[in-house]
Amino acid sequence: MLHSSQPGLSALTSLLAAGMVIVSLLVAAWLFSAQLERTQHEIQGQRIAALAQRIARLPEVRATLSEANASQAAPPAANSRLAARIERLRRENAVDFIVVMRPDGVRLSHPEPARIGQPFQGGDEQRALGGAAYLSESRGTLGESLRSFAPVMASASDGEARSVIGAVAIGITLDSLGRRLADEKRQLLIGLGILMLFGTLGALGLARYLRRQLKGLEPAAIARLVEEHQAVLASLEEGIIVVDPEGHVTLVNAAARELLGTAPEPGECLEAWLPDTGMHECLAAHSPVAEQDAARLRQVTHDGRRLWVRCQRVHDGEHLMGGVLVLREHDRMQRLAEELTGVRRQAESLRAARHEFRNRLHVLSGLTQMQDLDGLRDYLALLVERELPADAAAAERIADPLLAGLLIGKHSEARERGIALNVELDVEWHHARTEHREMPGAALSQAELSQAVLPVLERSLSHDLVSVIGNLLDNAFEALEEMDDATHAPAVTLSLMLESVGEASEAQLSISVADNGPGMPAELMETARAAGVSSRGEGRGLGLSLVQEIVTARAGDWHFYSPPGGGTLVELTLPCQRSPTATP
């Protein structure tokens, strides 16, 4: 399959520069041509006008016209001295014709001798015979021409008043003007062509230079690299400071500004702003061993904050382009190391629990094979007494196995933390409402338990409820651990209320989790639903954001309440449907 390729940056630059040069020169040629044509008419008109005035004042012309006017009956001679003199002047001044005429318009001179003695043609000579000098364009025997007329006045020495005794007409045909103009335009075009050639060569040279500077990349690739560069710098948690070969800052990312508080501006010397980073030694290293020594991880202190820094040289082949300084927060790296240690300890605890669980399975398997039902019953009762104390009865009133298992686990966790976990159920289905409130240590009959059973819900909702209730209880447990007041025992109350809102399969589940802890600050309540927002440091704040996603996806609603006396209440409402296979 053929793919249409777009022109590269070099071709585009060449075409753009060459096109601009060509268009500019063509426009200039058009303007120069029009100006040259106007100038040519003006210059030639001024030239022939001056020549006509000069010839009209020649004594020989005046004398010949006076004699011709005295004997008008005699025809002018074609080989007269005046005709020969005028012809020489015509050749010397490079004009097409010079005509000396009598007051009646009869020619006394002409480039073509046969036309001497004939009337002047063109019809534009009357004003000159009346005493006016002017320029005109008209068609005569030689074609369309630019003409200059000048009257010939009688000499004052003749004893008569100065009067018009004839006229002189000098003309250049438009064809001659066109040829002269073409010659000048040809020279102009030659000059413009030379400029166009050098301009095109310059455009090609500029395109090659830009291509070398841009490493052969095209505009789309450059734009993509810039976007990727900005995205990568913005996503890095490490601070990045880029310097040139002299150690002056050229780039600082957002993480570096956050770590340093006030970051150096581009152009500042990094070593003067943040000393002891090793960047100067890294840039001055002349061997791989010295470069590795300079690039080792170092600890520096800036404004009371400890940082780990590492330097790295940046090369373009053999050319040193500069260096990169990577900054990491000392305390954060230490916390990560501690978390890694905690994960390792948890893994060891899980391995130990697995061995214990296998041992219990072996005991159960042995008693089963021995068919020792009494021993099996006693061992199971022992396990239930140890792992599932009396407060696990609350889970028995929840038909959904996932929620029941979650509450059993949370009861055990609360007991280990020294927290009293109370579970309240309120079920209303088909308007047949049964209620029960669990009180710590209350004795429950089997009939009472059967009346307050939370039915099995749809499977996807059960999984979401595990995340919602689990995260809300975890937050409540952690809030109670921060409580400094020992006047009352820490307690958490979980309330679940299921009520029908329409058909038998449609219902609304209300969940509330209340604790008697220190409460939530007002500013934290406004942003607690956002990911990463937590009062317990970095790496936390994901539980409530997950709850927010589930509530939004299921078109539910939830609110925070933290009264001045302490404690936190979270109320949440979700629309739900009971599983078709469940019984109320």
Side-chain angles (χ1 to χ4, degrees):
M1 183 180 295
L2 297 177
H3 299 277
S4 59
S5 59
Q6 297 181 351
L9 178 61
S10 178
L12 289 175
T13 306
S14 302
L15 291 175
L16 178 61
M20 292 180 62
V21 171
I22 292 173
V23 170
S24 300
L25 292 179
L26 289 178
V27 172
W30 176 72
L31 294 175
F32 289 161
S33 177
Q35 183 65 29
L36 184 62
E37 185 173 355
R38 290 193 298 269
T39 303
Q40 183 76 5
H41 276 73
E42 293 177 0
I43 293 176
Q44 294 299 329
Q46 294 174 1
R47 186 174 72 89
I48 61 177
L51 181 60
Q53 293 288 345
R54 184 165 63 89
I55 293 176
R57 290 194 295 267
L58 290 177
E60 185 177 356
V61 172
R62 289 178 176 175
T64 303
L65 284 174
S66 298
E67 294 175 359
N69 291 334
S71 58
Q72 291 187 1
N79 56 355
S80 64
R81 294 179 58 187
L82 178 64
R85 174 71 184 278
I86 294 300
E87 182 64 19
R88 287 196 303 272
L89 291 174
R90 184 189 71 81
R91 293 194 182 96
E92 291 174 358
N93 291 275
V95 293
D96 291 324
F97 64 86
I98 299 178
V99 175
V100 178
M101 67 187 78
R102 297 187 313 196
D104 56 0
V106 176
R107 301 186 184 101
L108 300 183
S109 64
H110 195 274
E112 298 177 3
R115 297 186 182 277
I116 296 175
Q118 297 179 2
F120 186 83
Q121 295 184 6
D124 54 349
E125 73 278 4
Q126 297 301 324
R127 293 169 55 197
L129 296 176
Y134 54 93
L135 289 173
S136 175
E137 286 189 15
S138 183
R139 176 176 293 276
T141 56
L142 299 181
E144 194 78 19
S145 59
L146 175 64
R147 307 175 177 190
S148 176
F149 291 92
V152 180
M153 309 300 293
S155 176
S157 59
D158 293 340
E160 300 176 355
R162 291 179 62 84
S163 60
V164 179
I165 59 175
V168 176
I170 301 178
I172 302 176
T173 62
L174 297 185
D175 292 340
S176 299
L177 285 176
R179 287 192 296 270
R180 295 182 182 183
L181 189 61
D183 292 338
E184 295 183 1
K185 286 183 179 180
R186 189 179 303 109
Q187 296 178 1
L188 175 63
L189 292 177
I190 292 174
L192 293 178
I194 295 174
L195 291 177
M196 190 180 301
L197 176 62
F198 281 104
T200 303
L201 294 177
L204 294 176
L206 175 62
R208 293 184 60 184
Y209 171 77
L210 291 177
R211 189 172 182 82
R212 287 196 306 269
Q213 293 296 317
L214 297 177
K215 308 299 181 184
L217 296 176
E218 301 300 336
I222 295 173
R224 185 174 63 254
L225 285 177
V226 171
E227 293 174 355
E228 293 174 354
H229 171 78
Q230 294 176 348
V232 169
L233 287 179
S235 63
L236 289 177
E237 295 183 359
E238 293 82 3
I240 301 295
I241 299 179
V242 183
V243 299
D244 59 14
E246 287 74 27
H248 296 95
V249 176
T250 59
L251 184 145
V252 181
N253 72 339
R257 295 183 183 276
E258 183 177 355
L259 288 174
L260 298 174
T262 56
E265 297 297 328
E268 294 188 38
C269 181
L270 176 64
E271 194 67 21
W273 199 88
L274 186 64
D276 301 330
T277 60
M279 179 59 72
H280 179 72
E281 294 83 354
C282 184
L283 295 175
H286 297 289
S287 65
V289 176
E291 182 177 347
Q292 293 177 1
D293 292 339
R296 288 183 301 178
L297 200 63
R298 300 189 182 191
Q299 181 178 346
V300 298
T301 302
H302 178 74
D303 289 342
R305 175 178 289 184
R306 293 181 299 172
L307 302 172
W308 288 105
V309 299
R310 182 172 60 85
C311 303
Q312 182 67 45
R313 290 160 58 98
V314 179
H315 295 272
D316 181 14
E318 298 296 331
H319 177 64
L320 177 64
M321 298 183 61
V324 176
L325 181 69
V326 182
L327 301 95
R328 296 181 178 89
E329 188 178 4
H330 179 276
D331 296 340
R332 183 175 179 274
M333 293 185 67
Q334 186 174 0
R335 287 196 302 269
L336 292 176
E338 293 174 354
E339 291 179 6
L340 180 61
T341 302
V343 170
R344 187 181 298 110
R345 291 176 179 174
Q346 291 181 6
E348 294 174 355
S349 300
L350 289 175
R351 283 196 295 268
R354 185 188 64 175
H355 287 292
E356 183 66 20
F357 182 70
R358 289 178 60 187
N359 293 333
R360 293 175 180 177
L361 288 180
H362 290 161
V363 174
L364 293 174
S365 176
L367 292 174
T368 303
Q369 293 178 8
M370 294 171 59
Q371 297 184 356
D372 186 357
L373 297 182
D374 293 335
L376 181 60
R377 187 181 300 107
D378 293 339
Y379 187 69
L380 288 176
L382 179 62
L383 291 180
V384 170
E385 181 181 357
R386 289 184 176 180
E387 303 297 334
L388 302 176
D391 56 7
E396 298 178 3
R397 292 178 285 128
I398 298 178
D400 193 299
L402 296 181
L403 293 180
L406 172 67
L407 288 182
I408 291 174
K410 290 302 178 183
H411 269 293
S412 300
E413 182 181 353
R415 186 178 62 255
E416 293 175 0
R417 292 172 178 258
I419 300 173
L421 175 60
N422 304 320
V423 178
E424 298 179 353
L425 291 179
D426 188 350
V427 180
E428 177 185 338
W429 203 272
H430 284 295
H431 304 286
R433 177 171 179 173
T434 58
E435 298 186 9
H436 182 76
R437 297 290 187 269
E438 178 193 1
M439 300 300 295
L444 302 174
S445 66
Q446 188 66 28
E448 290 175 333
L449 290 174
S450 62
Q451 291 178 355
V453 173
L454 184 69
V456 178
L457 304 174
E458 55 177 320
R459 181 57 56 188
S460 62
L461 177 60
S462 296
H463 286 283
D464 288 344
L465 288 179
V466 169
S467 297
V468 170
I469 297 175
N471 283 304
L472 294 180
L473 290 178
D474 287 341
N475 283 0
F477 292 165
E478 292 181 357
L480 291 173
E481 288 183 349
E482 300 175 358
M483 185 174 60
D484 297 330
D485 186 9
T487 57
H488 58 274
V492 176
T493 301
L494 169 64
S495 299
L496 300 174
M497 183 175 69
L498 181 66
E499 57 180 345
S500 60
V501 295
E503 299 179 359
S505 60
E506 295 182 357
Q508 178 174 280
L509 179 62
S510 299
I511 305 170
S512 67
V513 176
D515 64 71
N516 58 353
M520 295 177 62
E523 60 274 7
L524 182 59
M525 292 178 61
E526 298 178 357
T527 60
R529 296 177 174 86
V533 177
S534 175
S535 61
R536 301 178 180 90
E538 297 182 3
R540 306 297 301 272
L542 298 178
L544 294 183
S545 66
L546 179 60
V547 174
Q548 175 67 31
E549 293 179 2
I550 295 174
V551 172
T552 302
R554 291 191 170 273
D557 191 18
W558 66 315
H559 302 280
F560 288 95
Y561 302 97
S562 185
T568 302
L569 172 63
V570 181
E571 291 184 345
L572 186 147
T573 303
L574 290 176
C576 63
Q577 289 185 346
R578 187 178 58 171
S579 176
T581 60
T583 58

